[in-house]
Amino acid sequence: MKRIPTWLIMAGFGVSAGSSESAASGFMVRENSAASVATVFAGNASRADEVATVFNNPAGMSWLAGTQTQIGGTGVFPSINFEGEATVFGTPIPADNSRNNGQFALIPHAYAVFDLHERLKAGLAITVPFGNTIDYSEAWSGRYVNIKTAALSIDINPNVSYKLTDRVAIAGGVSLQYLKLDLSSKIPQFLIFGDPTAPDGGFLLEVDNWGWGFNLGLLAEPWDGTKIGLTYRSGIDHGMTGTLNFDPTTSPLLGLVDGPADTDTSVPASITGGITHQLTENFSVSLDAQFTQWNTFKQVVVNSNNPTFVFHEEYEDTWMVSIGGVYRLNQDWTLRAGVGFDESPTPDAYRDTGVPDKDRYMVGVGFGYQIAPSVSLDVGYAHYFAAGHATMNESVNRIEPITGLVILNGRYDNAMNYLSISLRTAL
């Protein structure tokens, strides 16, 4: 049997692997406290009423009294369902698309803040700012484009805040960030070799890296009852290394070789502004807007023992806006709610199955309960629903890249549910 040129296989493989990887690293996780989930992030830059401000706007630490801690986690319950088919010469290939492809995930968070001086505060945030897991059945229609995309990040972020005056504080910090990506897909050997009995080949790419970034914050209270906040978080470049391995069923005639692999991946910078106003003694409203610089994510180059390949994602800058309120019912109970809109960075022409995202609306509710004078519990729930169906019908990534003969068409019905719990203590 004739050997398939390696460069041809890898050129196609590059599009498939790159699409999944870039989408995974492009998924921002903001759900870093129960109060944030309940208000869908309204007030993150300006409320300064919980220890999570260490990450959201560290200048807010200057409005917290003494030493405080906060720990908790957010459960993610995604519903990601594909409706459609893949065809070869117009004929559908056998497939099973009945599976919910979204995977449950738990997002932990931990914060601490303490005094260094009368006007100087220090804090530490441990969060998961980026992540994604989508796992398709090996029998689904798009198995030759993607089977699994998984991303995990951990961000360790120490900060300091200095109160310039009684009404203005500035802050800054550094982030030590870990990012890990796992990607897998199938290879249609039945088409490559013209043999309907040939088993599918497949690959698994696993890479990771530690990277550095920084963040800045400003919070001002120009008059009693109104806070205005601004915060910037830098992008982080990850020079990722790991392995690229192929399934045992992958034919040696394809010329694909197991071994080390590396790629450069970046997570985006963001800037957030917000205002919180105390309407009454017990009721405040907040408005936040966040701009994320996704347009820096255009292409990724993957190197291995196989020929180097390049792929394109063409992400676009996005805005997130939200408005929320906090009502103190009595000394023990606090009620929270919010609504928001979040843009997707993925244009229709480059959407991939790793993160089949679409613009979305967000609604959140929650409460806080004072368990003891120095201990409080926060609970938040949010539901996100897509502003329309994410489709593959216009995307260049709907075409299986090695032979170009398998074409995926269809749409997604997506929704996300979040349940978050945080426990706060004052020492």
Side-chain angles (χ1 to χ4, degrees), residues 22 25 50 56 63 66 145 156 164 202 215 218 229-230 267 278-279 298 303 307 316-317 323 343 362 376 382 401 416:
S22 62
S25 66
E50 63 166 337
N56 294 324
W63 271 258
V145 176
I156 302 171
L164 297 173
N215 60 287
L218 170 69
L230 184 67
V267 295
Q278 201 75 32
L279 290 176
K298 294 298 184 183
N303 304 291
E316 299 174 346
D317 293 340
I323 185 170
E343 289 184 317
M362 307 175 293
S376 62
M416 306 286 284

Side-chain angles (χ1 to χ4, degrees), residues 118-324:
E118 182 181 357
R119 290 187 176 272
L120 186 65
K121 304 279 285 191
L124 177 67
I126 302 175
T127 61
V128 178
F130 295 91
N132 175 58
T133 300
I134 187 166
D135 191 1
Y136 296 94
S137 163
E138 293 192 357
W140 91 287
S141 295
R143 56 189 176 270
Y144 301 120
V145 176
N146 180 31
I147 293 291
K148 183 177 182 179
T149 297
L152 168 69
S153 71
I154 301 171
D155 193 276
I156 302 171
N157 182 204
N159 287 273
V160 292
S161 173
Y162 183 72
K163 205 161 189 181
L164 297 173
T165 72
D166 290 341
R167 293 188 179 275
V168 179
I170 57 174
V174 295
S175 281
L176 175 60
Q177 187 179 99
Y178 174 76
L179 182 65
K180 185 179 189 296
L181 301 175
D182 295 346
L183 315 167
S184 66
S185 183
K186 292 299 182 181
I187 299 173
Q189 296 186 137
F190 75 98
L191 285 173
I192 295 171
F193 298 115
D195 179 1
T197 65
D200 287 339
F203 70 84
L204 173 63
L205 177 68
E206 298 175 296
V207 290
D208 63 0
N209 179 67
W210 286 92
W212 288 91
F214 69 93
N215 60 287
L216 303 170
L218 170 69
L219 187 62
E221 190 171 11
W223 52 84
D224 291 345
T226 299
K227 298 188 188 76
I228 300 172
L230 184 67
T231 182
Y232 172 80
R233 188 162 291 275
S234 74
I236 298 178
D237 295 328
H238 287 279
M240 310 188 76
T241 59
T243 59
L244 173 62
N245 295 313
F246 295 89
D247 295 351
T249 55
T250 303
S251 172
L253 296 175
L254 297 181
L256 303 175
V257 182
D258 292 349
D262 65 81
T263 184
D264 292 332
T265 300
S266 299
V267 295
S270 63
I271 184 168
T272 308
I275 182 170
T276 294
H277 180 64
Q278 201 75 32
L279 290 176
T280 70
E281 181 180 356
N282 295 318
F283 181 51
S284 67
V285 294
S286 299
L287 173 67
D288 264 41
Q290 183 177 74
F291 175 78
T292 305
Q293 196 177 3
W294 282 115
N295 73 3
T296 59
F297 199 84
K298 294 298 184 183
Q299 73 174 28
V300 175
V301 178
V302 178
N303 304 291
S304 68
N305 290 332
N306 304 281
T308 298
F309 53 84
V310 180
F311 63 92
H312 300 272
E313 283 299 326
E314 305 302 325
Y315 271 29
E316 299 174 346
D317 293 340
T318 62
W319 283 93
M320 186 281 298
V321 294
S322 61
I323 185 170

